Amino acid sequence: MAGQSKKATRKFEKNHLKDTIERRKEGKKIKQRQQVKAKKKARVAKENGAGNSEPEQSVANSKIPAKASKSDNPFGDMSVDEFFQGGFEIPEIPKEKTKNDLKVKEGPVKAKKRKRDDAEQNDDGNISSNSSGEESAVRSGSEPGSEAEDDFANHKGELDALAEKDPEFYKFLQENDSELLEFDEAGNLAEVDALSGTDDESTPKKKRKKSKKEVADINEDSNEEDNGNEVTMAVLQKWKAALDDQHSMRAMRQVVLAFRAAAHVNEDDGKEYKYTISNSNVYHELLVMTLKHVPATLNHHLPAKETGSGKVRVPTDSKKFRTLTPLLKSHIASIHHLLTIISDAPTIKLTISSILPLLPYLLSFKKLLRNLMKTVVTIWSDSSSTEATRVNAFLVIRRLAVISDSGLREDVLKAAYQGLVKGSRSTTVHTLQGMNLMKNSAAELWGIDPSIGYTTGFTFIRQLAIHLRGSITNNSKESYKTIYNWQYVHALDFWSRVLSSHCDALREAEAGKQSSLRPLIYPTVQITLGAMRLIPTAQYFPLRFHLIRSLLRISLATGTYIPLAPVLLEVLNSNEMKKSPKPSTLKSLDFATAIRAPKSYLKTRVYQDGVGDQVAELLSEFFVLWTKSIAFPELALPVTVMLKRWLKEVSNKATGNRNGKVNSSLGLVVQKLEANGRWIEKRRAKVDFAPNDRAGVEGFLKDVEWEKSPLGAYVVGQRKTREEKARVVEESRREEERKRKKGREGSDEAMGDDIDPVVSDEDVDVDDDDDE
């Protein structure tokens, strides 16, 4: 509805709208059945009245005794006192079944078996008239369109009256439940098969002489039927020309029916389709033509108009929309089925791209749209999908979230989050980039409608808190596994991206108000801090580092201070970092793709070096957020003291860790903290405002870039070093993959003629791994 709806209207929509619509539907059906029965009775009575006007019937009626009326109405001569004195025994109205009544019922059934003479027909004139009236009623009811047209006319009249009495509610039904207003006039998917008939089933028109072109088209159609409706290239070219030049609805119908058969090709589902496809080239050409031309043809006949607010208007009450509804449903059902069976990346990409222009026409079919949305979300969250396919799938999800109403938008957000969680069960170096793409893209959805984003966000964050509380209160050994897994870590990291994207200080300043998602910062931070301290052992230091990075992202974007230094100091004070490590030849642990260190890495020099580098990096990243703060010296002083004390303890030759690399990196961090503190003290000595001057405090060093501070310059240099190192590692990994793939291809060619089944199975497995 245009504008802001009233509170009572929103309350009614939430609590009573669905039940009200269902009751109205049931009431309409009952009313229509009653109307049909009344019309049948009226028709039979009218025909019987014509038969009773005969002289024989009038004479027979004149001989009816007067007492018959009394027997028909036993209450006629009874007073009120006599009625109550009867003990509330209601006298039964006599129902006498005569032979004539029995013959009336049996007349239409046994008319052909019964031979009557003229005398019987004259004596039983009433019987024959009644039987003929009943036969005519049956015939009229069986005629196509007689009752259906009356029902639809009555329903249309009621809808027109509703539009006049309550236009606001009628408009709401048009936007949210157009299927109710259409009242099955458009039909369902089962009616699509009927569309394969001829177009000339309507009222016959005046005959005219057919042109040569029409005769040729008829001959071609007859040839197609003679060939068993086999789709050929010539037929495809004919359809394509009709779609391009004329935007033919008939050609679109044939294409949709052929596409339906192509989507179910080679399936033994017991269904029969009008067309068959046996050529692979024809199959490919049919798919491409359908996915590209059907949306364009549909938009030509029913152009969708988009408003400035992003809403899309489609003329759902038009005759064309009702005519095209079965085709549209069939086409979407075929696309949905095709997405579940194909595995070719370019085909999946093209199929998903064709859904985008069809979304405005599907808003009226909520159930069909929800099923399609779940399939698209599954493709988007599948790690085996290519990046281009996932991007196209996300465009469909985002477009649907923009143009849909609040109820469907909430379903889109829930489906996207569930798909993200399901798709993050495991993280490897191959899937990490896709996971980051999925989290960044999904975070954008929560900014489309802040109110719905807050309600759904609060619900999902509360679920994370319930899982954490259950793990803390449950004393079983396996309870921590509900928290210490990739799904939980990615969920917390996702909400940190959502909050950092939509609670950014710059974005809020441009909007002139705080984001409605800002109240979710506190519960997210508390859950993350509780999760990282659930099991404070050295084996789960990688998980702690992942969660610290998520909190750093929130602190950077929102300007919220989160005390992360104590969490990092806990790592340094563990025995893993204080004791001398044992030598090892293990490969360095990749902290980006690990949340749990293998037991073989514990107390080794490799693991201690990696943990030390992570702590030094995260400490510098945490303090660089406040490098221009006027309170930086006081903020860094406790941490500086603790680090110096730790360095003194581990530098002991007898009881220290004997790890010069870790100690020197942390010592350098201490130096940069002290240098940055002196830099701040030197500049704040020149200010002329008091500490209670909020504007002056926030404007301190506002014109100075953070990279020019001593700590900022150090962090910039460290970031460049890490980026270069990551680039070299990634290039070497890709080079190894190319060599491995080339070697596999060479081995496959060498064993191409080998028919050993064991070798064949292994080759298939290798190919599947490459696809993943």
Side-chain angles (χ1 to χ4, degrees):
M1 289 183 290
Q4 183 68 23
S5 58
K6 296 181 180 180
K7 183 178 179 180
T9 304
R10 295 196 300 271
K11 186 176 180 181
F12 174 78
E13 293 173 6
K14 181 179 179 181
N15 299 327
H16 307 292
L17 178 60
K18 185 176 179 180
D19 296 335
T20 302
I21 293 176
E22 293 297 330
R23 287 197 300 270
R24 291 191 180 186
K25 286 181 179 179
E26 295 297 330
K28 289 180 186 299
K29 292 179 181 179
I30 295 172
K31 188 174 181 181
Q32 286 156 4
R33 286 197 293 266
Q34 293 175 351
Q35 291 174 351
V36 172
K37 292 180 180 178
K39 289 177 181 179
K40 287 183 179 179
K41 291 181 180 179
R43 192 179 295 112
V44 173
K46 184 178 180 181
E47 294 176 356
N48 290 341
N52 291 336
S53 62
E54 297 178 359
E56 295 83 357
Q57 185 65 25
S58 61
V59 173
N61 291 337
S62 64
K63 295 181 180 180
I64 297 175
K67 294 182 180 180
S69 61
K70 293 184 179 181
S71 62
D72 293 340
N73 186 10
F75 302 103
D77 298 334
M78 189 180 293
S79 65
V80 177
D81 295 334
E82 293 174 350
F83 174 76
F84 283 107
Q85 288 176 1
F88 295 94
E89 294 182 0
I90 301 176
E92 296 181 358
I93 299 175
K95 298 181 180 179
E96 297 180 357
K97 293 186 178 180
T98 62
K99 294 181 179 181
N100 295 343
D101 296 333
L102 183 61
K103 291 178 181 179
V104 167
K105 296 182 180 179
E106 296 177 353
V109 180
K110 299 182 179 180
K112 295 182 180 180
K113 298 180 180 180
R114 185 176 302 161
K115 295 183 179 180
R116 296 180 179 178
D117 54 9
D118 297 337
E120 287 178 333
Q121 291 181 1
N122 294 332
D123 293 338
D124 299 334
N126 189 22
I127 298 174
S128 62
S129 63
N130 288 341
S131 62
S132 62
E134 191 169 335
E135 288 176 0
S136 62
V138 173
R139 284 195 302 270
S140 63
S142 61
E143 290 177 358
S146 60
E147 295 179 5
E149 291 176 359
D150 294 338
D151 296 344
F152 182 71
N154 294 330
H155 181 59
K156 290 296 291 183
E158 293 172 0
L159 292 180
D160 294 339
L162 176 63
E164 296 177 358
K165 294 179 181 179
D166 194 353
E168 186 176 0
F169 183 71
Y170 184 82
K171 187 175 182 181
F172 176 82
L173 290 179
Q174 281 183 327
E175 296 177 356
N176 296 273
D177 198 355
S178 62
E179 292 179 348
L180 175 61
L181 301 181
E182 292 169 6
F183 191 69
D184 292 339
E185 184 191 3
N188 51 21
L189 285 178
E191 298 176 357
V192 179
D193 296 329
L195 294 175
S196 59
T198 59
D199 290 339
D200 300 331
E201 295 178 355
S202 58
T203 304
K205 299 180 181 179
K206 186 177 180 181
K207 295 183 179 180
R208 62 181 180 84
K209 188 175 181 181
K210 296 180 180 179
S211 62
K212 295 182 179 180
K213 184 177 180 180
E214 292 175 345
V215 173
D217 292 341
I218 294 174
N219 293 333
E220 289 181 7
D221 293 340
S222 61
N223 292 334
E224 291 176 12
E225 294 179 358
D226 295 339
N227 295 332
N229 289 332
E230 174 73 22
V231 180
T232 61
M233 278 294 181
V235 175
L236 290 180
Q237 294 299 328
K238 176 186 173 183
W239 290 344
K240 186 176 181 181
L243 291 175
D244 288 337
D245 301 338
Q246 305 172 4
H247 299 285
S248 172
M249 294 177 63
R250 179 180 181 181
M252 183 177 68
R253 183 186 64 186
Q254 304 301 330
V255 169
V256 168
L257 293 174
F259 180 71
R260 187 184 181 194
H264 297 81
V265 70
N266 296 331
E267 293 184 6
D268 296 332
D269 52 1
K271 297 181 180 179
E272 295 183 359
Y273 303 97
K274 179 179 179 181
Y275 294 101
T276 58
I277 300 98
S278 58
N279 191 328
S280 59
N281 294 330
V282 173
Y283 179 86
H284 177 267
E285 186 66 24
L286 174 62
L287 257 62
V288 174
M289 183 185 69
T290 305
L291 298 176
K292 287 185 177 180
H293 290 79
V294 168
T297 305
L298 188 63
N299 187 59
H300 174 80
H301 292 285
L302 292 171
K305 298 179 181 180
E306 185 171 0
T307 61
S309 59
K311 297 295 181 180
V312 178
R313 303 296 180 188
V314 177
T316 56
D317 56 346
S318 64
K319 184 177 179 180
K320 275 190 176 181
F321 184 83
R322 292 191 293 269
T323 303
L324 294 174
T325 294
L327 284 178
L328 184 59
K329 287 184 176 181
S330 174
H331 184 59
I332 292 301
S334 302
I335 288 178
H336 179 262
H337 181 75
L338 189 64
L339 288 175
T340 59
I341 61 174
I342 58 177
S343 58
D344 183 54
T347 306
I348 296 175
K349 178 184 175 183
L350 179 62
T351 306
I352 292 178
S353 301
S354 68
I355 300 175
L356 197 60
L358 296 176
L359 290 178
Y361 307 97
L362 303 178
L363 295 178
S364 301
F365 317 120
K366 301 294 179 65
K367 185 177 179 180
L368 190 66
L369 192 56
R370 287 189 178 97
N371 294 334
L372 180 64
M373 177 185 63
K374 291 179 181 179
T375 303
V376 174
V377 169
T378 302
I379 296 173
W380 167 71
S381 60
D382 189 1
S383 59
S384 62
S385 301
T386 61
E387 182 176 351
T389 302
R390 300 175 86 168
V391 169
N392 281 273
F394 172 73
L395 293 177
V396 173
I397 298 172
R398 185 185 183 280
R399 179 64 173 170
L400 182 58
V402 170
I403 66 176
S404 60
D405 56 4
S406 58
L408 189 58
R409 186 177 294 125
E410 184 176 356
D411 293 339
V412 172
L413 295 182
K414 289 180 179 179
Y417 180 75
Q418 292 171 357
L420 185 146
V421 173
K422 289 180 181 178
S424 59
R425 293 183 181 275
S426 63
T427 301
T428 63
V429 67
H430 304 284
T431 61
L432 182 61
Q433 186 176 1
M435 280 301 307
N436 292 331
L437 172 66
M438 189 161 54
K439 288 186 288 188
N440 290 330
S441 58
E444 184 182 349
L445 299 176
W446 264 258
I448 296 175
D449 192 335
S451 60
I452 296 179
Y454 172 79
T455 55
T456 54
F458 178 84
T459 302
F460 292 131
I461 293 174
R462 182 175 178 272
Q463 289 179 355
L464 297 176
I466 292 173
H467 286 307
L468 179 60
R469 183 185 63 182
S471 180
I472 294 174
T473 57
N474 191 357
N475 295 326
S476 63
K477 293 183 179 180
E478 304 295 327
S479 62
Y480 74 94
K481 291 186 178 180
T482 59
I483 306 300
Y484 280 18
N485 56 71
W486 273 117
Q487 287 181 306
Y488 200 89
V489 172
H490 281 304
L492 288 175
D493 185 68
F494 167 71
W495 290 115
S496 73
R497 294 172 190 262
V498 171
L499 297 176
S500 60
S501 299
H502 304 293
C503 300
D504 183 73
L506 182 60
R507 178 176 293 187
E508 290 179 341
E510 293 176 352
K513 61 179 180 179
Q514 286 189 349
S515 173
S516 58
L517 299 177
R518 184 168 280 272
L520 298 177
I521 294 177
Y522 177 77
T524 303
V525 172
Q526 291 298 108
I527 295 171
T528 307
L529 291 175
M532 70 174 63
R533 283 174 168 165
L534 181 62
I535 301 181
T537 59
Q539 197 169 11
Y540 288 98
F541 282 165
L543 182 141
R544 177 175 295 214
F545 297 149
H546 279 287
L547 297 181
I548 289 175
R549 294 182 189 277
S550 300
L551 294 180
L552 285 175
R553 184 184 297 110
I554 295 177
S555 184
L556 173 63
T558 64
T560 305
Y561 175 76
I562 304 173
L564 296 177
V567 182
L568 293 170
L569 291 176
E570 290 176 3
V571 176
L572 292 179
N573 291 327
S574 64
N575 291 331
E576 187 73 23
M577 301 301 295
K578 284 186 176 182
K579 301 298 181 179
S580 177
K582 58 184 179 182
S584 175
T585 58
L586 294 173
K587 186 180 179 180
S588 299
L589 182 66
D590 187 4
F591 286 88
T593 58
I595 57 174
R596 176 179 176 272
K599 291 184 178 180
S600 59
Y601 276 84
L602 299 180
K603 299 185 182 300
T604 61
R605 189 177 185 88
V606 174
Y607 187 60
Q608 192 179 77
D609 289 346
V611 172
D613 291 340
Q614 292 290 316
V615 172
E617 175 191 349
L618 293 174
L619 273 175
S620 59
E621 291 288 348
F622 167 68
F623 280 107
V624 81
L625 299 177
W626 316 103
T627 184
K628 297 195 301 179
S629 174
I630 198 171
F632 183 87
E634 290 75 18
L635 178 66
L637 180 60
V639 179
T640 304
V641 172
M642 293 292 294
L643 288 176
K644 286 184 176 180
R645 188 178 300 170
W646 182 84
L647 287 172
K648 183 178 181 181
E649 183 179 353
V650 298
S651 298
N652 192 331
K653 294 182 179 181
T655 60
N657 58 11
R658 300 177 184 177
N659 193 331
K661 179 181 178 181
V662 174
N663 299 343
S664 61
S665 61
L666 291 173
L668 184 59
V669 172
V670 172
Q671 294 178 10
K672 297 302 179 181
L673 292 177
E674 291 178 340
N676 202 83
R678 292 191 296 268
W679 183 70
I680 293 294
E681 289 176 350
K682 182 178 179 181
R683 279 158 178 75
R684 76 179 181 183
K686 300 178 182 179
V687 300
D688 54 356
F689 54 84
N692 60 356
D693 188 355
R694 189 70 178 178
V697 171
E698 293 179 353
F700 180 71
L701 297 181
K702 191 174 183 179
D703 299 333
V704 180
E705 297 180 359
W706 67 271
E707 292 90 345
K708 294 183 179 180
S709 64
L711 183 60
Y714 167 74
V715 171
V716 170
Q718 292 296 314
R719 288 179 181 177
K720 290 182 179 179
T721 303
R722 287 192 297 270
E723 290 175 359
E724 183 65 23
K725 183 179 178 180
R727 185 183 62 81
V728 173
V729 172
E730 181 67 17
E731 288 181 356
S732 62
R733 183 186 65 82
R734 291 181 179 179
E735 184 64 26
E736 289 179 0
E737 285 185 355
R738 284 194 292 267
K739 291 181 180 179
R740 190 181 301 112
K741 187 176 181 180
K742 187 175 181 181
R744 287 173 180 173
E745 292 176 353
S747 62
D748 291 343
E749 292 177 359
M751 294 185 294
D753 298 332
D754 195 349
I755 58 174
D756 187 0
V758 177
V759 177
S760 300
D761 292 341
E762 291 179 354
D763 293 341
V764 171
D765 293 339
V766 170
D767 294 339
D768 292 340
D769 295 338
D770 290 341
D771 293 338
E772 293 178 358

